[in-house]
Amino acid sequence: MLNNPVFDILKTFEKQELKSLDSFLASPFFNKKQEIIDLYRYIVKYAPEFSNEKKLSKAVISRKLFPGKRFDPEKIQRTISAFTKLVEQFIIQNEIQNNKVSQSFNLLEFYEKKSLYEHYNKAQKQLENILKKNGQNNESDYLDKYLLSLGKLNNYSINNQTERYEELNQTIKYFQIYCLFGNLKLLCHFFNNKTIIKLDEDAQLVDLILAQSQLEKFKENTHIKAFYNALMFIKDQDNEDNFLELKSMLQVGDQIKDQYDEKLLYDFSLNYCALRINAGHQNYYNEIFQLYQAALKTPFFCIDNYIFPNTIKNIITTGLRLGELEWIEQFLVEYKDKIHPDHREDVYNYNFAHLLFYKKEYDKALDYLSNVSYTDTFFKTDAKKLTAMIYYEQDEVRLLYSFVERFYMSNYRNNMVSERHIMSNRNFITILKQLINVTPGDTDKLEKLLQKIDEAEALADRFWIREKVLEKLGKKR
């Protein structure tokens, strides 16, 4: 029973939702089977974890629901299945109850079907007021406005009213905005994933949508402008002006009101910055750092109240690269509780070690690294790289030789990560080994090593290892 999907649903319910579900199941309008009410009132005692394997077994539940009767697995399964369907029905009812727009459309459909036109007109005006109050925050809002306008157009047309001509313009307008908004968003996804998945491109359609976005009647629409800019820089990295315009819109903070769209635009922008950095445009470290700082103020940045470990690491790495040590230390302390408890200590200790490395407090950094349990493959690899970098900075040549050899072998045996990630770390180890063996005065070897760093397609911690080569050359770049 514990493996039943219904528990996955119930675990997400708040206390009030659990109480409401009880009332729902007790209503004869929705449920006429007492055993389903009894089932729920028994299992809800073990909320919110629902983790008591013995008490929630099918055999025990069967004895509670059907005392004195022989255990019938099929009967209890039918009861659980019926209960699950009612839980889903409860969710649907709740969603409809909380969505006034959906309620109004259902009501309009009923009045139209029953030819209750006076009631229909009244409900239509109420829906119009709701949509006006809601504003235009996402593509669903434009779809709602289109559907309302289409309903009015049909009503005017059936009754041969002259208002239909003006309404036709409104219907076309909302439909065009809805389609254009949706097309821009889909094309952003298309070009953002083009390097990962093989997709067919219709160049003429793309050009048509881009041209339509720049028509006078659409170009000042906030949502169209935002996704037009995103599409332009995703499609072509050289369209830097479009990135800067979207970045400015995001930093204002209230232009994109839909959280999903705002998160999407931040993701596109952060990905663009990463691509520019990988292409050698170091100024984009500033851009990506500013985006992270702005994104931290948005409600979507925490998923289920937590920040992804990789996001924490990216913020730390960027901030350290820019020398924002004080800000990074404050960020780690302030946002520690925003790291999921399952890996909070590992993520915190690794990133604090990284901060101490930049502060040149190498022994303290090693102490923090010793507290990382290495349950995550990527953090394990990054911690090993950081350890090697500390040994290099401390001039611990023997320790470094031994450590690098073990690191090299473990990297070869790692089947859990992509080939590119393995190559990136392998190149780091190879170049570090070569760097250890080059004397400071050997300009020819060092220049070749520098060229190798610059030409490497995949190389972990490129910035640091390049800096170490330049130090041996006695240069600054």
Side-chain angles (χ1 to χ4, degrees):
M1 176 69 184
L2 273 179
N3 295 324
N4 195 287
V6 76
F7 285 124
D8 294 332
I9 300 170
L10 293 176
K11 283 176 186 177
T12 68
F13 280 21
E14 303 289 341
K15 280 185 179 180
Q16 187 54 51
E17 287 174 310
L18 291 171
K19 286 181 183 178
S20 298
L21 177 56
D22 187 282
S23 301
F24 177 86
L25 294 172
S27 168
F29 183 82
F30 296 106
N31 171 46
K32 293 179 174 64
K33 294 181 179 179
Q34 183 60 41
E35 63 263 30
I36 289 179
I37 300 171
D38 294 340
L39 168 63
Y40 177 65
R41 288 178 180 169
Y42 173 73
I43 66 172
V44 80
K45 294 174 187 175
Y46 303 97
E49 291 87 4
F50 298 100
S51 57
N52 192 320
E53 194 168 344
K54 183 180 177 182
K55 297 288 187 181
L56 294 174
S57 68
K58 287 183 181 179
V60 172
I61 290 172
S62 181
R63 285 200 298 271
K64 292 288 181 182
L65 298 186
F66 313 109
K69 294 187 178 179
R70 185 180 175 185
F71 175 50
D72 184 344
E74 288 186 10
K75 185 177 182 180
I76 192 67
Q77 185 56 50
R78 285 196 301 271
T79 305
I80 293 166
S81 296
F83 168 64
T84 303
K85 286 179 182 176
L86 281 165
V87 170
E88 291 174 339
Q89 187 62 38
F90 167 75
I91 294 167
I92 292 166
Q93 289 293 326
N94 250 12
E95 290 300 309
I96 292 172
Q97 191 175 338
N98 294 327
N99 190 329
K100 290 183 179 179
V101 173
S102 181
Q103 289 175 31
S104 297
F105 274 119
N106 287 334
L107 197 57
L108 282 174
E109 189 178 346
F110 175 82
Y111 287 150
E112 186 177 27
K113 199 184 296 179
K114 299 292 184 179
S115 301
L116 296 168
Y117 296 115
E118 189 176 333
H119 293 280
Y120 181 92
N121 291 334
K122 187 179 177 182
Q124 196 176 64
K125 285 176 183 176
Q126 288 174 343
L127 176 55
E128 201 165 355
N129 289 331
I130 292 169
L131 294 180
K132 195 178 288 184
K133 188 178 178 181
N134 287 352
Q136 297 165 351
N137 300 320
N138 53 41
E139 60 194 297
S140 295
D141 292 334
Y142 291 111
L143 177 60
D144 291 337
K145 284 182 180 291
Y146 159 67
L147 292 173
L148 174 62
S149 183
L150 182 63
K152 289 168 75 175
L153 175 64
N154 290 338
N155 194 23
Y156 292 146
S157 299
I158 289 168
N159 295 298
N160 202 28
Q161 292 173 263
T162 55
E163 289 92 339
R164 67 182 184 274
Y165 303 119
E166 187 179 342
E167 196 59 48
L168 178 59
N169 284 324
Q170 287 293 98
T171 308
I172 293 170
K173 172 191 164 186
Y174 287 126
F175 184 67
Q176 283 181 321
I177 294 174
Y178 168 69
C179 291
L180 182 55
F181 189 4
N183 281 329
L184 284 169
K185 193 185 289 190
L186 287 172
L187 285 174
C188 284
H189 283 296
F190 175 87
F191 283 101
N192 199 50
N193 292 291
K194 199 179 174 186
T195 56
I196 304 168
I197 309 166
K198 188 178 179 182
L199 298 165
D200 295 326
E201 180 183 342
D202 186 337
Q204 284 185 321
L205 177 62
V206 174
D207 290 341
L208 181 66
I209 291 167
L210 287 172
Q212 192 179 14
S213 303
Q214 291 303 285
L215 292 175
E216 200 62 40
K217 60 180 177 179
F218 299 131
K219 67 187 298 185
E220 292 309 313
N221 180 292
T222 303
H223 304 95
I224 289 173
K225 186 193 290 187
F227 280 96
Y228 168 80
N229 281 315
L231 178 57
M232 288 297 287
F233 67 68
I234 295 169
K235 185 172 173 285
D236 186 346
Q237 284 188 39
D238 289 333
N239 290 328
E240 188 175 23
D241 288 345
N242 296 104
F243 163 75
L244 294 171
E245 186 173 358
L246 178 57
K247 178 191 163 193
S248 177
M249 291 176 73
L250 291 171
Q251 288 179 320
V252 169
D254 62 349
Q255 292 202 38
I256 310 299
K257 298 185 187 299
D258 182 79
Q259 286 186 27
Y260 172 76
D261 285 341
E262 189 178 22
K263 183 183 185 308
L264 203 54
L265 291 165
Y266 266 107
D267 288 345
F268 290 148
S269 301
L270 290 166
N271 189 48
Y272 173 75
C273 288
L275 290 171
R276 295 296 279 170
I277 289 167
N278 290 339
H281 301 275
Q282 300 298 307
N283 60 307
Y284 271 84
Y285 278 109
N286 276 309
E287 300 293 350
I288 201 169
F289 190 60
Q290 288 171 21
L291 280 170
Y292 275 128
Q293 287 178 310
L296 281 168
K297 298 172 185 174
T298 63
F300 69 77
F301 200 74
C302 294
I303 307 297
D304 295 330
N305 209 34
Y306 298 117
I307 303 176
F308 289 123
N310 279 343
T311 304
I312 296 275
K313 180 178 174 290
N314 290 341
I315 293 171
I316 300 299
T317 303
T318 306
L320 293 176
R321 183 69 54 82
L322 294 170
E324 296 281 353
L325 305 190
E326 189 177 330
W327 187 93
I328 290 299
E329 186 163 0
Q330 186 180 342
F331 168 76
L332 275 171
V333 172
E334 187 178 338
Y335 283 85
K336 184 178 180 181
D337 289 341
K338 295 293 182 184
I339 306 168
H340 195 280
D342 289 352
H343 35 246
R344 181 175 294 153
E345 293 307 315
D346 276 1
V347 173
Y348 179 80
N349 287 326
Y350 166 76
N351 284 294
F352 209 87
H354 204 178
L355 169 65
L356 290 168
F357 172 77
Y358 268 79
K359 292 172 82 171
K360 301 187 186 301
E361 297 179 28
Y362 302 124
D363 288 332
K364 284 185 181 179
L366 288 171
D367 287 341
Y368 272 87
L369 285 174
S370 68
N371 291 320
V372 180
S373 62
Y374 303 132
T375 53
D376 181 274
T377 302
F378 293 99
F379 269 99
K380 183 177 181 179
T381 304
D382 288 339
K384 285 184 176 182
K385 273 189 301 186
L386 185 55
T387 302
M389 289 155 68
I390 291 170
Y391 286 156
Y392 181 91
E393 296 288 4
Q394 290 181 318
D395 202 24
E396 294 281 2
V397 179
R398 287 183 182 177
L399 275 174
L400 184 56
Y401 267 121
S402 161
F403 187 83
V404 164
E405 285 300 326
R406 293 198 307 274
F407 185 16
Y408 192 80
M409 293 308 297
S410 68
N411 190 61
Y412 260 108
R413 290 192 294 266
N414 196 338
N415 297 318
M416 301 295 291
V417 296
S418 68
E419 185 59 40
R420 183 178 176 83
H421 193 79
I422 291 171
M423 182 60 68
S424 179
N425 290 312
R426 196 176 294 162
N427 286 340
F428 170 82
I429 300 163
T430 302
I431 291 172
L432 183 59
K433 285 169 72 177
Q434 291 171 357
L435 179 60
I436 298 165
N437 293 317
V438 178
T439 55
D442 197 337
T443 305
D444 186 51
K445 284 186 179 178
L446 288 168
E447 287 288 359
K448 284 180 180 177
L449 205 52
L450 198 62
Q451 185 180 354
K452 190 174 182 179
I453 291 168
D454 291 339
E455 291 176 357
E457 186 180 338
L459 174 60
D461 285 283
R462 187 191 303 265
F463 182 86
W464 176 82
I465 204 160
R466 193 177 196 281
E467 189 180 68
K468 297 303 114 181
V469 174
L470 290 172
E471 282 178 8
K472 279 199 171 185
L473 275 167
K475 294 180 181 180
K476 286 186 179 180
R477 288 188 192 176

